[in-house]
């Protein structure tokens, strides 16, 4: 089968930026009908934001819902949800999902948004399938504002968002337009004029084109290593956490890792001294450092890593790469709620085998949140840029 792709251009503007589903205004986001024509075919839906070089990326995401009619969704339940992406500050978000043809020809609806309302920018939404070349994305236009008696006839209030029906005559022009909009495309001349932006809230069709070309070279590629933890291992971890939390409840204190001594011995690694240990004047927990202490900044954003005195750039660099994929970072912490209230974290790390007795695989480490701090009261070694965020030092 040949992979076929359809693209639409759109914009989050004042009337079409409603934020993620946790906001009551989510329904004003751009929505699109997706109607499969092949049973159980696989579809890849990609949302790509347009961003100038050096500009700040918006946190974006998309979700796919079952629709009751070929109309915009204004509410949905968990039963309507087919799949959804995370919200990330990234160029693109992708969903790959097999879909069934629904009874009565009912469609699916794709909704794409920024994390918060009133975050503005342009985007491209595409759908591709090697098994269903006839699949289409159809934009569901926002409902126009009601007519007011005091509005002049030519008021912008009456300007209904519309579909741009003009399409390039050949694929080279399509590629040129994509290149001008910051998309990955074929090599084109720099003399090609930049397309005129569509009106806010409108969408522009591009015809089907063959998908091809290499993936962007500046994006990290993540490789699965092992199958993670088994259900038995997870059960053992949770049982151990319950035991530790029960002990904390009996003593009324915070969890302390018995294998880790929060003193100079933890800094010298068994040596008599280390020059960096003099920088550590106290050991403090996150809530003693900041009244707004938490593991992550919010539901989507992850900042970089500030390297400390240790010569462990290999580790801080790896942390920084993993932080670029929020779902991977969250997967390293088995519990981020109950245990954290008592200074207890279950951290999952992949340990390479030594070729002899130890096999490669995922292991869980229980750690407390006592952190070595300097004279200013902040973590002395690797930390997060924000003073309230502590996933790096933990």
């Amino acid at each position: 089968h040949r992979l076929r792709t359809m693209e639409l251009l759109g914009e989050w503007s004042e009337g079409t930026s409603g934020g993620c589903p946790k906001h009551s205004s989510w329904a004003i986001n751009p929505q699109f009908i997706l109607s499969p024509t092949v049973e159980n075919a696989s579809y890849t839906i990609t949302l790509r934001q347009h961003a100038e070089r050096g500009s700040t990326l918006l946190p974006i995401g998309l979700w796919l819902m079952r629709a009751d009619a070929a109309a915009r969704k204004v509410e949905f339940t968990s039963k309507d949800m087919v799949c959804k992406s995370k919200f990330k500050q990234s160029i693109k978000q992708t969903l790959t999902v097999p879909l069934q043809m629904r009874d009565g020809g009912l469609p699916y609806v794709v909704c794409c948004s920024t994390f918060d309302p009133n975050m503005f920018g342009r985007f491209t939404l595409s759908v591709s399938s090697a098994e269903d070349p006839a699949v289409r994305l159809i934009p569901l236009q926002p409902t126009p504002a009601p007519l007011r008696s005091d509005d002049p006839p030519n008021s912008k209030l009456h300007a209904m968002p519309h579909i741009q029906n003009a399409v390039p005559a050949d694929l080279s022009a399509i590629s040129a337009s994509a290149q001008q909009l910051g998309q990955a495309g074929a090599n084109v001349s720099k003399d090609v004029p930049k397309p005129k932006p569509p009106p806010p809230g409108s969408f522009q069709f591009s015809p089907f084109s063959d998908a091809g070309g290499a993936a962007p070279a500046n994006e990290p590629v993540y490789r699965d290593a092992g199958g993670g933890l088994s259900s038995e291992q997870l059960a053992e971890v949770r049982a151990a956490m319950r035991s530790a939390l029960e002990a904390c409840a009996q003593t009324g204190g915070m969890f302390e890792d018995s294998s880790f001594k929060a003193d100079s011995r933890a800094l010298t690694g068994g040596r008599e001294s280390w020059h960096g240990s003099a920088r550590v004047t106290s050991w403090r927990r996150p809530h003693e450092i900041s009244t707004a202490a938490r593991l992550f900044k919010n539901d989507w954003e992850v900042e970089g890593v500030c390297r400390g005195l240790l010569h462990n750039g290999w580790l801080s660099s790896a942390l920084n790469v993993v932080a670029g994929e929020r779902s991977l970072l969250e997967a390293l912490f088995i519990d981020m709620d109950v245990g954290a209230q008592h200074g207890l974290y279950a951290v999952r790390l992949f340990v390479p085998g030594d070729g002899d007795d130890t096999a490669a695989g995922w292991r869980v480490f229980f750690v407390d949140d006592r952190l070595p701090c300097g004279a200013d009261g902040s973590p002395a070694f690797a930390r997060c840029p924000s003073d309230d965020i502590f996933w790096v030092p933990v």
Side-chain angles (χ1 to χ4, degrees):
H1 297 289
R2 297 181 62 190
L3 184 67
R4 307 292 286 181
T5 299
M6 180 183 187
E7 294 182 343
L8 291 174
L9 304 182
E11 182 175 20
W12 293 296
S13 61
E14 186 174 354
T16 62
S17 177
C20 69
K22 79 172 188 177
H23 298 286
S24 60
S25 56
W26 69 267
I28 70 172
N29 285 307
Q31 298 184 26
F32 306 83
I33 288 178
L34 190 158
S35 297
T37 65
V38 176
E39 185 71 18
N40 289 324
S42 179
Y43 303 88
T44 297
I45 309 166
T46 301
L47 172 65
R48 182 182 290 270
Q49 65 175 304
H50 303 174
E52 300 292 337
R53 184 182 298 274
S55 63
T56 301
L57 296 176
L58 299 174
I60 60 172
L62 70 160
W63 61 97
L64 180 66
M65 303 172 284
R66 297 177 182 87
D68 298 326
R72 292 179 64 85
K73 296 278 287 186
V74 295
E75 60 182 13
F76 68 92
T77 67
S78 58
K79 292 182 179 180
D80 297 329
M81 183 71 75
V82 178
C83 60
K84 60 183 178 179
S85 74
K86 296 280 188 178
F87 280 83
K88 298 190 303 181
Q89 269 185 303
S90 59
I91 283 290
K92 66 179 181 179
Q93 290 278 48
T94 300
L95 295 175
T96 299
V97 58
L99 294 176
Q100 297 178 343
M101 296 177 62
R102 302 183 62 209
D103 294 341
L106 290 176
Y108 297 88
V109 168
V110 181
C111 189
C112 49
S113 78
T114 56
F115 185 77
D116 287 318
N118 299 319
M119 303 180 80
F120 305 141
R122 303 183 68 202
F123 65 86
T124 298
L125 184 70
S126 66
V127 61
S128 60
S129 176
E131 303 152 306
D132 185 3
V135 67
R136 293 289 191 273
L137 281 174
I138 301 176
L140 291 166
Q141 298 297 342
T143 302
L147 178 66
R148 297 202 310 259
S149 58
D150 56 344
D151 289 326
N154 62 348
S155 169
K156 290 184 179 180
L157 188 64
H158 306 306
M160 292 183 62
H162 60 283
I163 299 174
Q164 304 272 327
N165 289 316
V167 296
D170 54 44
L171 294 181
S172 62
I174 298 170
S175 297
S177 298
Q179 181 76 8
Q180 290 294 321
L181 291 172
Q183 305 300 300
N187 293 327
V188 296
S189 170
K190 293 184 178 180
D191 296 329
V192 176
K194 186 173 181 179
K196 183 179 179 180
S202 67
F203 309 104
Q204 178 177 348
F205 277 112
S206 293
F208 279 89
S209 60
D210 290 325
N218 63 338
E219 295 186 8
V221 177
Y222 302 97
R223 179 174 61 87
D224 289 336
L229 298 178
S230 66
S231 57
E232 291 80 6
Q233 288 174 310
L234 285 173
E236 292 177 0
V237 169
R238 294 194 171 102
M241 289 196 70
R242 285 195 298 270
S243 178
L245 292 175
E246 289 172 359
C248 291
Q250 292 176 0
T251 62
M254 301 288 285
F255 173 74
E256 291 189 3
D257 181 1
S258 60
S259 65
F260 180 82
K261 305 300 180 183
D263 55 30
S264 60
R265 288 171 292 180
L267 303 175
T268 60
R271 295 172 294 180
E272 292 185 1
S273 64
W274 173 58
H275 69 91
S277 60
R279 304 285 186 90
V280 177
T281 60
S282 63
W283 292 77
R284 310 175 70 189
R285 295 182 183 268
H287 71 271
E288 297 172 328
I289 300 173
S290 169
T291 57
R294 56 195 186 278
L295 205 59
F296 299 119
K297 189 171 183 179
N298 50 39
D299 290 342
W300 54 267
E301 185 177 5
V302 178
E303 298 176 310
V305 176
C306 296
R307 183 178 171 182
L309 296 172
L310 299 177
H311 299 292
N312 62 346
W314 57 272
L315 177 59
S316 56
S317 296
L319 289 173
N320 198 42
V321 170
V322 172
E325 184 70 23
R326 178 60 182 269
S327 60
L328 293 181
L329 184 59
E330 289 182 347
L332 298 181
F333 292 86
I334 295 179
D335 177 88
M336 296 182 289
D337 299 315
V338 179
Q341 299 173 19
H342 300 274
L344 168 62
Y345 292 92
V347 181
R348 175 169 53 181
L349 300 175
F350 186 81
V351 179
D354 59 11
D356 296 322
D357 299 328
T358 305
W362 290 94
R363 293 178 57 190
V364 176
F365 299 85
F366 292 96
V367 298
D368 62 40
D369 58 2
R370 292 174 294 172
L371 307 175
C373 297
D376 62 352
S378 61
F381 305 117
R383 57 182 179 83
C384 303
S386 296
D387 294 337
D388 302 328
I389 312 304
F390 289 93
W391 71 267
V392 171
V394 167

